[in-house]
Structure formats: structure tokens, C-alpha cells
Amino acid sequence: MDEKNNKCIPIIPSYLKFSPAYNYINSNKIKLPTKLNANDSSDMLKVSEDGLKLVYVGDLRFTFVGSIRANYHVPPEVGLFYYEINVIDKGTRGIIGLGFCEPNIRLGGMPGWDYRSYGYHGDDGQKFASSGKGSSYGPTFTTGDTIGVGINFYNNTMFFTKNGIHLGTAFTDVDSNVLYPVIGMRSLRECVVVNFGQKSFMFDIDQYAQKVINEISDNEQKKTST
């Protein structure tokens, strides 16, 4: 907060300096996800006051899914967006997922289970896109791991990372323009802390963003030279 002018100064992750919409982000004309939204959450989950720590507190007798969205969707104008979660506790079953989804998606399903929802799950390492049936993608993840997810609006793809390592493209032809970061859980004591850029990421997203911009520039030069 800028106390002198009594207005909020947006948190801008360093990789967004490459964004074509940087000036709009810097002037706060474009809103970015900065925390989890307690008002857009399943009752199975408890969110910290700062909106960055999430715990599964569901019924002891059952394991209902609980999901939560961030406070803002990701505006496609930014070109690229990325966030990470640190798994503090995998809980009893380690059923934790993250990704992106549209605002009308039910909060009783894991990321990726519903139409225009995309997710990567820690218990089986599978990816899910608009379906409850997953497919092989990456390794499982558990307590102590840092998992990230990025969406590339330049080519409409999505990828995930584990402990700073890029796991490859997970989804192509991502066609929604109103996608919110989403996290899902399904067993007791599961706990994660989310990072939207409040601190350094484990994955070198700055280098990745620079690579994406360079590839776009190279492709444009090739088109003009032919």
C-alpha cells in the first residue's frame, strides 16, 4: 500500500516485464491473481487471512473434494502467467491438484474434471482436461515439493513444473479467455502455500518468458523475410 497516495501498488512478478501489457499491469488497469478467494471456495477448505495458505478441513468420515479459485482471472493480454504451490503436508492421501478453470466450474470437483478446467494431480501424476478421466503426464508430488503451472496465451498451451523443472507441455488448444488459478484437495490435513509472485519462484520463469518472446520475435522476422 502506498500510504502517501492511499492506493495499492500492484505486485508484479519480474517475468511480466516481458509482457506486452506491462504498462497496464503497472498502472493497475489490469488485475492479476494475487491470492485465493475465500468467497469462491468449497466448505471443505480453510484459507488463511492473507489468502495464501490453504488447508483441507473436510468431514472425518468422508473425503469430499474441495476446490478454490483465486481472486481474479488471468487476462489473456498478459501473454504468460505462472504460479506455484508448496506442499506443506500431503495429508492422509496426497490428493492435491492445481491448474486453471472457468468461473462457473463447480467447487466440488478436482481441477480438470469439468468442462474448461485443467489440472495436474499429485497422487497419480496424471493431467486432466474437461474430464474425470486423466492421462499420464508427470511424477507424483508430496510433502516438501513445489509445483508450478503456467499458461501461455501466445500459443494457447499450459505446462507444469516440479521443484523448478519444466515437465513439458500438458495441454494445447486452451481456448478459454476467462481462466482462474484453481487448487483442489481431497484428504485431511492437506496443506499448501501458494505463490503468485510475492516471492521468488523455484522455476526460472524469467528465463522461460524471455525464451518465449525470443521465439515470437524470430518467427515474425522469418515471416517478414519471406
Side-chain angles (χ1 to χ4, degrees):
M1 175 75 75
D2 182 343
E3 296 181 357
K4 183 177 180 180
N5 297 310
N6 194 32
K7 63 180 181 180
C8 290
I9 298 174
I11 296 172
I12 307 176
S14 57
Y15 71 91
L16 287 175
K17 65 186 178 184
F18 302 108
S19 171
Y22 177 79
N23 289 335
Y24 292 99
I25 299 169
N26 193 43
S27 62
N28 215 20
K29 292 180 180 178
I30 288 181
K31 304 289 187 181
L32 297 175
T34 56
K35 64 180 181 179
L36 300 174
N37 185 357
N39 295 319
D40 195 11
S41 172
S42 163
D43 292 338
M44 300 294 107
L45 306 175
K46 181 179 180 181
V47 192
S48 61
E49 288 189 10
D50 64 4
L52 299 177
K53 185 176 182 180
L54 186 66
V55 181
Y56 184 93
V57 292
D59 195 304
L60 287 170
R61 298 166 297 172
F62 306 102
T63 52
F64 294 115
V65 173
S67 289
I68 184 171
R69 281 181 281 267
N71 55 341
Y72 293 108
H73 76 278
V74 182
E77 302 96 303
V78 301
L80 180 69
F81 187 82
Y82 178 81
Y83 74 95
E84 290 180 344
I85 64 169
N86 177 240
V87 182
I88 305 301
D89 192 332
K90 74 177 184 66
T92 57
R93 299 175 64 190
I95 306 177
I96 300 171
L98 74 162
F100 293 94
C101 74
E102 289 196 337
N104 58 332
I105 302 301
R106 64 192 174 105
L107 295 170
M110 290 292 287
W113 281 4
D114 294 285
Y115 181 61
R116 287 189 172 171
S117 176
Y118 307 86
Y120 169 40
H121 298 182
D123 59 313
D124 54 17
Q126 292 191 344
K127 62 180 181 179
F128 295 76
S130 303
S131 173
K133 183 178 181 180
S135 58
S136 297
Y137 173 64
T140 59
F141 54 87
T142 187
T143 302
D145 287 328
T146 296
I147 308 300
V149 54
I151 183 167
N152 182 341
F153 288 103
Y154 297 110
N155 60 9
N156 299 318
T157 61
M158 199 176 295
F159 66 91
F160 295 87
T161 67
K162 179 181 178 181
N163 298 330
I165 305 300
H166 192 290
L167 299 179
T169 299
F171 308 112
T172 58
D173 300 321
V174 178
D175 61 354
S176 175
N177 289 326
V178 188
L179 289 172
Y180 286 74
V182 61
I183 298 170
M185 296 177 167
R186 199 178 183 180
S187 70
L188 287 174
R189 298 193 311 276
E190 289 172 342
C191 176
V192 303
V193 172
V194 63
N195 176 19
F196 288 111
Q198 288 87 353
K199 59 182 181 180
S200 298
F201 293 112
M202 183 170 285
F203 175 64
D204 192 346
I205 186 63
D206 291 69
Q207 183 182 62
Y208 178 85
Q210 181 67 75
K211 179 182 177 182
V212 169
I213 295 300
N214 289 343
E215 289 176 350
I216 292 172
S217 178
D218 290 344
N219 289 335
E220 289 178 348
Q221 289 181 9
K222 289 178 182 178
K223 289 180 181 179
T224 57
S225 63
T226 56

